[in-house]
Structure formats: C-alpha cells, structure tokens
C-alpha cells in the first residue's frame, strides 16, 4: 500500500502532451499549442516555428515548457517569435543528459488558480480554490511557487460563487479523466467569459507548511495535522485496512486544553507568528486540544480558526479578525489548562505576560 495516485495516473500527470489528449476527450478545455519532438529542436528557426504556430492559429505571447517536468522547471513566457528559439532550447535541455519534447502553447488570459481535490472515483471533493497573482515574470515559476512573498495568493479566490463552482467542477472532472486519487492539485485559468482552462494537473501537491493544500484545507476548518491524517485514513479505508466507520484519531482520554499565544505588540510579531504556528502544527492531537490565540497589536486576544492561522502575516490576520473571535484575559482559566507562550520580544519576553498569567493562575 502507498499514498496517492497509482501507476497510470502518475505517468499521465507528468506527460503534459498525452494528458491534454485525455482531458480534451473528456470535454475539458486546455491551452491550444504544438508539441516539438526533442530530436527536431536543433533544426528549427524562429521563422519555422512562427509558421507552425500560425497554422494552428496561435498568437503571441506564448508559454514554452518541457513535456515531462514539474514545478515549472524550464518554463518560459515569450512575447514574440524571435524569443522562441532560446526558450525552446531551455525547455528541451532542462534536465542534463536528456533532450525533451517541448510544448509551445497560447498564453491564456484570465485569473490563474490552483484547486486541491481529495478523494477518488465517485467520492471526489474539491476544496476552495486559491487565486494566484503573478509578479513580473508573467508565469507562476519555481521562485514564485516556493519562495515566501514572491507571488500573492488569495484563498478563497476573489471571484463569485458561480465562478468558484465552475473551477471546482473542472478540477474534479480533471481528476476523474486522469484517474488521480486521494490528493491532486489542478492548476488553470478562469477566463473573463467564465470559461475554465486547465493548464497543469498535478497528481501530488506540495506539502510544505504554506502549501496550497493546507491553505485550502484551513478554509474547511482543518489543521495541518487533521488534513494529513484525513488523507492517510482515506487511503487506509480504500485498502480495507481500517473499517469505514472507524478513525485512527479516536482517543477516549481527556485531552489537555492548550492555548498557544502568537503575534503580539512588539516588532517581533512576525517571527512570533511563525513560532506559535509551528507549535500548533506539531502538538499531538491525541494528547492536546490546541487553540491558536492571536495577540493583536493592541494587546487584545482572539481565538482564531485555522483559515486565519495559515495567513502570511500578522497584518493580514488582523484585517480578518471578527468580534466573535475575541476573548478576555480573564476568560483564559475557563477555556484552557495550559498556555504556551510563543510571543517574542516586548511584553512577551520581559515578564509582563508571564506576570498576568501567574495572577490568573494559569500554568
């Protein structure tokens, strides 16, 4: 037994040309383009490529990418046919020692999105899609995918409910057409007319703490730990290793209620967010009932859900706070058995908060 998509689906997920055939046959729209055989790359000129693209009705700008890479390796956006040769060679020779086929596609205009889908067969469930605002390169490249702050991401996407529903429907259809199972990330473009174009189906999603999967799971109230365990339990049920009605997370013992304080009033509030968030992610759900407590720049306490905990900065969190989330310092002993101080600098380190907790009798 192993996690995720099986052999054929995994192979389709990494072959950007054949997957388009499967998707188009299922009525799913993809970017128009051509595929150059690797052994012909050196023979092409800008003029010959321009002629091939003109025959297909494909106009600049173009997106050039290798047939079998992930994480946007070797991908370029070019504005004219004169730039194509360099981009095609970059794509073809991305992996040392081999020459890959190269796709040249239309650059589809619209809102770029990424949508996580979990489940399999008739049990797929699409999470709330993320909108991606690209920076200067014009494509969501490796740096923007993995470097903090390189691209803006909004979860859920800033489009209406009908558009989000269309994205989810297309993402689920893509999973079904390619046979992806348990977890997939479907990237695409929502055009201005509401049409959804799939540009990159992935049979597995990044699982770093700030990945799309966790941002979107948080919109459904799931912490990192809960989401990962949910996926594992789904596989265990699919393999018949646990009964459908059982869960490995069931635990009868009384859990210690831990409030993790993060944020704060000092200049070190951003590293406090990182520290506190890491503690929330790492504490065992078998032993602890964990609650993130956001300390605002005004020193007020807010019991925040995971959809806020995953945000990139304390400023963003503070903008999204709601009055219903606020709790009083005097309420801490009623709500928690233990406070974990994740505050850095200022009142969080100079004894002020410690003194307040001691007066409240809070360990």
């Amino acid at each position: 037994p192993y996690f995720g998509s099986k052999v054929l689906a995994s192979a389709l997920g990494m072959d950007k040309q054949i997957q388009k055939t499967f998707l188009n046959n299922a009525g799913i729209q993809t970017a128009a383009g051509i595929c150059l055989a690797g052994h012909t790359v050196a023979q092409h000129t800008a003029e010959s490529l321009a002629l091939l693209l003109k025959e297909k009705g494909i106009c600049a700008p173009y997106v050039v990418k290798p047939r079998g890479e992930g994480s946007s390796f070797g991908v370029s956006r070019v504005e004219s046919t004169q730039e194509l040769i360099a981009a095609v060679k970059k794509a073809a020779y991305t992996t040392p020692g081999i020459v890959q086929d190269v796709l040249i596609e239309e650059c589809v205009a619209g809102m770029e999105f990424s949508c996580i889908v979990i489940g399999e067969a008739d049990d797929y469930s699409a999470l709330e899609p993320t909108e991606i605002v690209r920076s200067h390169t014009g494509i969501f490249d490796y740096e923007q995918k993995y470097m903090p702050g390189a691209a803006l991401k909004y979860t859920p996407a800033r489009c209406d409910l009908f558009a989000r529903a269309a994205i989810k429907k297309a993402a689920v259809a893509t999973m079904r057409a390619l046979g992806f199972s348990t977890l997939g990330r479907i990237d695409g473009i929502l055009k201005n007319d509401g049409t959804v174009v799939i540009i990159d189906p992935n049979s597995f999603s990044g699982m770093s703490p700030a990945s799309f999967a966790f941002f979107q799971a948080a919109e459904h109230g799931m912490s990192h730990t809960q989401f990962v365990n949910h996926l594992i339990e789904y596989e265990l049920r699919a393999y018949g290793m646990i009964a459908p009605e059982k869960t490995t997370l069931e635990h009868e013992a009384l859990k210690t209620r831990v409030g993790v304080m993060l944020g704060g009033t000092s200049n070190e509030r951003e590293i406090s967010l990182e520290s506190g968030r890491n503690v929330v992610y790492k504490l065992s759900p078998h032993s602890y009932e964990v609650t993130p407590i956001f300390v605002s720049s005004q020193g007020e306490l807010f019991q925040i859900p995971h959809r806020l905990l995953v945000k990139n900065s304390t400023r963003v969190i503070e903008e999204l706070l709601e009055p219903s989330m606020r709790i009083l310092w005097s309420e801490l002993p009623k709500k928690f058995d233990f406070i974990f101080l994740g505050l850095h600098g200022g009142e969080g380190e100079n004894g002020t908060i410690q003194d307040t907790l001691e007066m409240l009798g809070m360990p």
Side-chain angles (χ1 to χ4, degrees):
Y2 60 91
F3 178 90
S5 295
K6 308 316 172 194
V7 178
L8 176 59
S10 298
L12 289 174
M14 284 300 287
D15 191 317
K16 299 183 188 303
Q17 181 62 16
I18 293 180
Q19 69 185 212
K20 290 175 71 172
T21 303
F22 274 69
L23 295 177
N24 294 156
N25 288 344
I28 299 166
Q29 189 166 333
T30 60
I34 60 174
C35 183
L36 306 176
H39 67 274
T40 69
V41 165
Q43 304 167 15
H44 282 289
T45 64
E47 290 72 23
S48 67
L49 292 179
L51 185 60
L52 286 173
L53 291 164
K54 185 177 180 181
E55 290 174 353
K56 293 289 185 179
I58 303 168
C59 303
Y62 311 105
V63 174
V64 182
K65 53 191 176 185
R67 181 170 177 167
E69 293 286 343
S71 294
S72 298
F73 281 116
V75 179
S76 304
R77 172 187 162 125
V78 298
E79 302 298 327
S80 69
T81 52
Q82 298 307 312
E83 303 172 54
L84 277 174
I85 292 299
V88 166
K89 289 181 177 178
K90 172 186 173 182
Y93 302 111
T94 293
T95 298
I98 65 170
V99 183
Q100 293 192 53
D101 295 351
V102 178
L103 278 69
I104 305 176
E105 297 178 340
E106 62 175 335
C107 186
V108 182
M111 183 196 80
E112 186 164 354
F113 67 82
S114 188
C115 185
I116 299 295
V117 182
I118 58 178
E120 61 182 14
D122 296 323
D123 190 31
Y124 288 118
S125 179
L127 305 185
E128 288 296 334
T130 298
E131 173 189 356
I132 300 160
V133 181
R134 293 162 286 188
S135 66
H136 60 282
T137 62
I139 59 170
F140 192 45
D141 57 17
Y142 183 88
E143 180 179 338
Q144 293 182 73
K145 279 185 177 178
Y146 302 116
M147 298 299 105
L152 296 175
K153 302 157 192 170
Y154 297 93
T155 309
R158 299 176 301 176
C159 53
D160 61 39
L161 292 175
F162 295 103
R164 294 216 301 266
I167 290 171
K168 292 179 184 180
K169 182 179 179 181
V172 166
T174 299
M175 292 279 288
R176 185 171 288 115
L178 299 178
F180 290 175
S181 60
T182 312
L183 173 69
R185 195 190 85 227
I186 311 301
D187 300 343
I189 303 291
L190 175 69
K191 296 172 68 174
N192 293 334
D193 64 3
T195 304
V196 176
V197 179
I198 300 302
I199 59 172
D200 190 16
N202 299 272
S203 59
F204 188 58
S205 170
M207 299 292 281
S208 63
S211 292
F212 292 123
F214 295 123
F215 271 70
Q216 294 178 25
E219 289 295 318
H220 294 262
M222 300 180 76
S223 70
H224 287 53
T225 302
Q226 290 169 329
F227 186 58
V228 171
N229 278 303
H230 172 81
L231 294 173
I232 292 172
E233 287 172 4
Y234 189 93
E235 285 281 24
L236 291 174
R237 289 193 188 92
Y239 278 109
M241 296 173 71
I242 59 173
E245 69 278 6
K246 295 292 184 182
T247 170
T248 58
L249 292 181
E250 290 177 357
H251 198 265
E252 299 302 324
L254 189 63
K255 298 178 182 179
T256 302
R257 301 171 301 168
V258 178
V260 180
M261 284 192 179
L262 46 87
T265 62
S266 80
N267 292 327
E268 298 180 58
R269 63 179 69 90
E270 300 305 328
I271 189 59
S272 170
L273 173 60
E274 290 294 325
S275 292
R277 181 160 51 196
N278 192 46
V279 172
V280 173
Y281 294 161
K282 298 299 193 295
L283 282 170
S284 169
H286 293 281
S287 304
Y288 306 107
E289 181 183 315
V290 187
T291 302
I293 303 172
F294 182 76
V295 183
S296 75
S297 58
Q298 304 301 313
E300 297 175 326
L301 304 184
F302 293 85
Q303 192 169 306
I304 61 172
H306 284 278
R307 65 182 177 83
L308 294 194
L309 183 66
V310 298
K311 299 303 181 185
N312 290 327
S313 70
T314 60
R315 178 185 57 79
V316 174
I317 293 175
E318 201 141 354
E319 289 173 355
L320 297 172
L321 292 173
E322 300 170 7
S324 60
M325 301 175 187
R326 189 178 174 194
I327 59 174
L328 301 176
W329 287 86
S330 59
E331 293 180 291
L332 292 177
K334 302 174 189 175
K335 291 179 172 289
F336 306 103
D337 304 309
F338 187 91
I339 297 295
F340 191 108
L341 275 183
L343 300 173
H344 287 254
E347 297 170 343
E349 279 195 63
N350 67 12
T352 302
I353 301 297
Q354 291 85 343
D355 183 48
T356 302
L357 293 174
E358 284 191 16
M359 287 192 294
L360 292 169
M362 285 298 302

